[in-house]
Amino acid sequence: MKTFFFTVWLICSAILARAQYATGDPPIVSNNKQLVFDLEPDTGLYIDSMGRVSKPEDILSQDFVPMASVPFRKKIPRRLSEVSFYYRFRIQNPDTGMARLYLYPGMYHSDMDLFYLNDTGLVREKDLKPREGFVSLQIPSGMNREYVLCLTLTRSDNNTLSARLIRPSYLDDYVRQLTTYAYNRKVVGFVTCGVLIMMLAFCILNYVSSRKPEYFYNALFSIFMFMIIFAYAQYYNKPGRTFGEFFGYWWLILLHIGYMCYIQFSRKFLDTTNKDKTIDRLFRFEIAALLVLMLAYSFVHFFTKEVKWDYYLETIMKITVVGISIIYVIMGLKNKDRLMNYLAIGSAFNVAFAFIALWLQTQSTSSTRVLGSSIFYFELGIIFSQFFFLLGLTYKNRVALIDEIKYKEALRLNQEKAAYEQQLAIYKAQQSERNRISADMHDDLGAGMTTIRLYSELAKKKIGDQPIPEIEKISNAANELLVKMNGIIWSMTDSNDSLDNAIAYIRSYALEYLEHAGIRCFVQIPDRLPRFVLNGELRRNIFLVVKEALNNIVKHSGATEVHISLNKEPLGLSLTIQDNGKGFDGQNIRRFGNGLQNMKKRMEEFGGEFSISNQNGTLIRLYKQTRDQSFL
C-alpha cells in the first residue's frame, strides 16, 4: 500500500513539475572564487521504484521531478535502499579551459554511474580521479552539457540526497565541513571515548594482575562500544560506501558482540555458574539468541534483496538488546544481591536512554543539537552502565577484602590457639614435673632433713651442760635448710599459683619470723583480692624480696614494729613494708648493697618496681602493674 501511494505521488509530482525542470537555465561554472555550486534547484530526480529502467537509455524517456520538491531527500526511507535513483542536470562552462569538478550526490550510496548526453546518446563519464563518496567530472571549454547520474543507496537509515559541485582544491575542506557540522555532538562522543579508554585500561590492568575473567569481558565490551562511538564521532556524515556500510550494518554487529561480552561479564562478575543456575541459564540463552539474530541479519543483509526483512531483523535486534537490559532490571528488583542491584540500576538507565534513542531514530528529520541526537543517549547509557559497574566492583572488592581479613584473622586466631595449646601442654608437662620434684623433695629430702634436725637435738640433750658448737651448727643449718626447702616446694607446687595463696604464705612467714625476733608485725590486706595466676618463679621472687627486706629489718633497723600492707593502686598493686627503726642510711649502703640490688633485679625481671626511702623508719615499696582492674 505504501508503494502504491508513493508511486502515485511520483506521477503527480512529475506532471506538475516537468515543465519547470525543462525550462530551467543550467548553472554556469566559471573560474571565479565560488568553491561550491548548489545544483538541487536545477536537478531533476527520478526514483525507479517500479523497475522500468533496464538500460541507461531508458532513463531519457522518464519523467523527472525537481529534487527540491522531494520532502524526504534529507532522510531516505529504508524501503528505498534497493531502488535506483537518477539525477538529471545541465552544467555550462563558459571559460576557455577545462572545468574539473566533483559531484556530491548525498550520503551513503553503494554504486554511482555518471553519464553525459551527446548526439549519439548517453556516454559514461570516466572517473579520472576517484574519491569515495564523490564523482569526478570534466566539462570542456564553452560546453553546455547534460548529465545523468544513476545511484543506489546502502541499507541504512542515514541516507540523504543532494546535488553539489565542489572544486578539487576545496574537496578536503568540504568533507571536513560535513563531518564537523555537529561539533558539540563530536565533543561529547570523544569525551565518552576517553571514558571508555580509561575503563579499558582499568580492566586490562586488573585482568593482568588478578586474571579474573570479568575484567577481560568488560574490557572487550569497552572496546566494541569505543569502536561504535569513535566511528560516530569521527566519521559520521562522511561520504562513501564504506561508512554507509558501517552505519548501516557493522555498528549493529559490534553492538551485539559487545552485549554478548557484557552478558558473559555479568556471568563471571555475579558468579551465576555457582550461585544461581537459573540466571546463568538465562544469560546463556540471551547470548545464543543474540548470536542467532546476528547470523540471520547478516545473511539477509548480504545474500538477499529483502529490505523489509533487513529492517525487521534490525528492529528485532535493537528490541532484543533493550529487552536484555529490561531483564537485568527485573532480576535486580527481585534479587537481594547487592551486586545484582548495581547492574540493574545501570541497566535501568540504559533502558531509559535506549527508548529515547529509538524514538529519535523514528523521527523524519535529524537534529544537530546534542540533546536531539540518538547517539548521545546511547553514549549516556554506556557511561551510566560503566559507572554502576565501578560501584558494584568497589562493593565487591570491599566485601572480598573484608572476607580476606576475616579469613586471615581466623587463621591467625587458629595459629595462636594452636601455639597457646602447645605452650599450655608444655606448661602442664613442666608443672607436672615440678609437682613430682616437689613431692619427691618433700617425701625424701624433707624427711631426711627432719631426721638430721631431730638427731642433732637429741645429741644436744645427751651432752647436757657441755654443748658442742658443731652440733649446734648442724641443728641450725638443718633448720634453715628445711625452711628454704619448704619455700622451694611451695614455689614449685601449681596449687599455690594464686595471689591470695602467695599473700597468705608471705603473711605466715613474716609473722613467724618477726615473732622469733621480738618484733611486732601488722599485716593489712584488702577484703577482696583479684584472682591472679602467679607462676612459681614470680611467687618465689616476690617471697625472696620480702624475706630479704625482713632480714635487713631484723639485722639493721632496731625496729620494734613492722607494718606490711597490700594496697590498691590506679593501675595495679603495691606491697609496702614499713618499720619504725632508725631508717635507711644512704651513706652506709655497702653493708647491704648487694641485697638491695638483688631485690631490685628480682622485681624488674617480671616488670615490677622496687623503691626504698626514709619515712619514720624505712619504707620499702614493691609495685606491679596489672591488666585486671575489676577489684580496684
Side-chain angles (χ1 to χ4, degrees), residues 198-267:
M198 289 190 291
M199 282 298 305
L200 177 61
F202 171 79
C203 291
I204 290 176
L205 291 175
N206 279 275
Y207 176 72
V208 171
S209 61
S210 65
R211 294 295 176 181
K212 292 183 178 180
E214 56 260 38
Y215 292 112
F216 173 74
Y217 289 111
N218 196 273
L220 290 179
F221 173 74
S222 299
I223 289 174
F224 289 116
M225 296 304 104
F226 170 82
M227 293 171 66
I228 295 173
I229 295 173
F230 180 79
Y232 268 94
Q234 180 68 21
Y235 300 112
Y236 187 75
N237 229 36
K238 187 172 184 179
R241 179 175 182 175
T242 302
F243 304 107
E245 283 293 331
F246 180 86
F247 296 118
Y249 169 78
W250 286 107
W251 82 272
L252 191 60
I253 298 299
L254 293 176
L255 177 67
H256 277 66
I257 296 175
Y259 267 87
M260 285 192 288
C261 293
Y262 188 81
I263 296 172
Q264 189 67 9
F265 146 75
S266 300
R267 290 185 63 211

Side-chain angles (χ1 to χ4, degrees), residues 345-376:
I345 295 173
S347 297
F349 280 101
N350 217 347
V351 169
F353 292 127
F355 277 120
I356 297 175
L358 290 175
W359 176 77
L360 288 174
Q361 285 185 347
T362 61
Q363 303 304 301
S364 58
T365 58
S366 60
S367 173
T368 60
R369 296 183 300 108
V370 173
L371 297 180
S373 170
S374 60
I375 190 65
F376 168 71

Side-chain angles (χ1 to χ4, degrees), residues 222-416:
S222 299
I223 289 174
F224 289 116
M225 296 304 104
F226 170 82
M227 293 171 66
I228 295 173
I229 295 173
F230 180 79
Y232 268 94
Q234 180 68 21
Y235 300 112
Y236 187 75
N237 229 36
K238 187 172 184 179
R241 179 175 182 175
T242 302
F243 304 107
E245 283 293 331
F246 180 86
F247 296 118
Y249 169 78
W250 286 107
W251 82 272
L252 191 60
I253 298 299
L254 293 176
L255 177 67
H256 277 66
I257 296 175
Y259 267 87
M260 285 192 288
C261 293
Y262 188 81
I263 296 172
Q264 189 67 9
F265 146 75
S266 300
R267 290 185 63 211
K268 301 300 180 181
F269 186 66
L270 300 174
D271 194 18
T272 56
T273 304
N274 300 318
K275 294 182 178 180
D276 197 324
K277 298 291 185 181
T278 302
I279 295 179
D280 188 68
R281 285 193 294 268
L282 178 61
F283 282 158
R284 286 186 291 177
F285 173 77
E286 290 173 349
I287 294 175
L290 288 177
L291 182 61
V292 170
L293 285 174
M294 190 171 62
L295 293 176
Y297 176 68
S298 300
F299 177 80
V300 172
H301 186 85
F302 289 109
F303 300 104
T304 70
K305 293 186 178 181
E306 295 294 334
V307 179
K308 63 178 181 179
W309 285 109
D310 187 280
Y311 174 76
Y312 292 154
L313 283 173
E314 180 178 331
T315 303
I316 292 173
M317 292 171 74
K318 293 177 181 178
I319 294 175
T320 302
V321 171
V322 176
I324 290 173
S325 299
I326 294 176
I327 291 174
Y328 269 95
V329 176
I330 295 175
M331 289 191 302
L333 294 176
K334 291 184 177 181
N335 203 310
K336 295 183 179 180
D337 186 358
R338 196 167 178 180
L339 282 179
M340 194 69 185
N341 297 150
Y342 281 116
L343 292 184
I345 295 173
S347 297
F349 280 101
N350 217 347
V351 169
F353 292 127
F355 277 120
I356 297 175
L358 290 175
W359 176 77
L360 288 174
Q361 285 185 347
T362 61
Q363 303 304 301
S364 58
T365 58
S366 60
S367 173
T368 60
R369 296 183 300 108
V370 173
L371 297 180
S373 170
S374 60
I375 190 65
F376 168 71
Y377 294 98
F378 173 76
E379 293 164 355
L380 280 182
I382 297 299
I383 290 176
F384 272 97
S385 64
Q386 292 297 293
F387 173 73
F388 282 99
F389 155 68
L390 288 178
L391 290 181
L393 180 63
T394 302
Y395 170 75
K396 183 178 181 181
N397 289 340
R398 185 170 68 249
V399 171
L401 180 61
I402 293 174
D403 292 340
E404 183 179 1
I405 292 174
K406 288 181 178 179
Y407 172 76
K408 290 182 177 179
E409 185 66 18
L411 184 62
R412 184 184 64 82
L413 291 176
N414 289 334
Q415 292 175 345
E416 290 180 354

Side-chain angles (χ1 to χ4, degrees), residues 27 34 36-43 162-165:
Q34 187 173 354
V36 180
F37 302 91
D38 187 5
L39 301 182
E40 287 189 16
D42 304 293
T43 299
S162 182
R164 285 182 172 84
L165 292 176

Side-chain angles (χ1 to χ4, degrees), residues 34-228:
Q34 187 173 354
L35 301 174
V36 180
F37 302 91
D38 187 5
L39 301 182
E40 287 189 16
D42 304 293
T43 299
L45 175 66
Y46 175 72
I47 304 175
D48 190 16
S49 59
M50 306 299 292
R52 294 177 178 177
V53 179
S54 58
K55 56 183 182 298
E57 288 74 13
D58 295 340
I59 191 60
L60 299 177
S61 60
Q62 305 302 322
D63 295 324
F64 285 79
V65 298
M67 178 180 289
S69 67
V70 179
F72 52 81
R73 67 185 185 279
K74 298 303 179 183
K75 190 171 184 179
I76 308 301
R78 175 73 70 89
R79 64 180 181 274
L80 300 179
S81 297
E82 296 298 330
V83 174
S84 295
F85 288 73
Y86 294 91
Y87 294 4
R88 191 170 182 177
F89 55 90
R90 286 179 176 273
I91 302 176
Q92 181 180 356
N93 179 17
D95 296 332
T96 57
M98 180 75 72
R100 293 181 175 86
L101 300 165
Y102 281 95
L103 173 64
Y104 169 63
M107 282 294 170
Y108 309 137
H109 307 306
S110 58
D111 295 300
M112 293 183 291
D113 291 308
L114 183 64
F115 303 88
Y116 64 87
L117 185 63
N118 62 11
D119 296 336
T120 61
L122 290 177
V123 179
R124 186 184 299 273
E125 177 80 14
K126 294 181 179 180
D127 196 355
L128 299 178
K129 293 184 178 181
R131 179 72 176 266
E132 189 174 17
F134 296 87
V135 180
S136 65
L137 54 87
Q138 301 182 85
I139 309 171
S141 174
M143 181 68 68
N144 183 350
R145 178 173 285 182
E146 184 174 2
Y147 287 91
V148 174
L149 175 66
C150 175
L151 56 87
T152 55
L153 309 178
T154 60
R155 294 186 180 183
S156 171
D157 290 324
N158 303 305
N159 297 322
T160 63
L161 298 178
S162 182
R164 285 182 172 84
L165 292 176
I166 301 97
R167 293 193 183 276
S169 60
Y170 185 68
L171 187 60
D172 292 335
D173 292 332
Y174 185 76
V175 173
R176 194 176 300 111
Q177 180 182 352
L178 288 175
T179 56
T180 58
Y181 81 105
Y183 180 76
N184 292 334
R185 285 167 50 178
K186 293 176 70 70
V187 170
V188 173
F190 286 128
V191 170
T192 307
C193 288
V195 173
L196 290 175
I197 288 175
M198 289 190 291
M199 282 298 305
L200 177 61
F202 171 79
C203 291
I204 290 176
L205 291 175
N206 279 275
Y207 176 72
V208 171
S209 61
S210 65
R211 294 295 176 181
K212 292 183 178 180
E214 56 260 38
Y215 292 112
F216 173 74
Y217 289 111
N218 196 273
L220 290 179
F221 173 74
S222 299
I223 289 174
F224 289 116
M225 296 304 104
F226 170 82
M227 293 171 66
I228 295 173

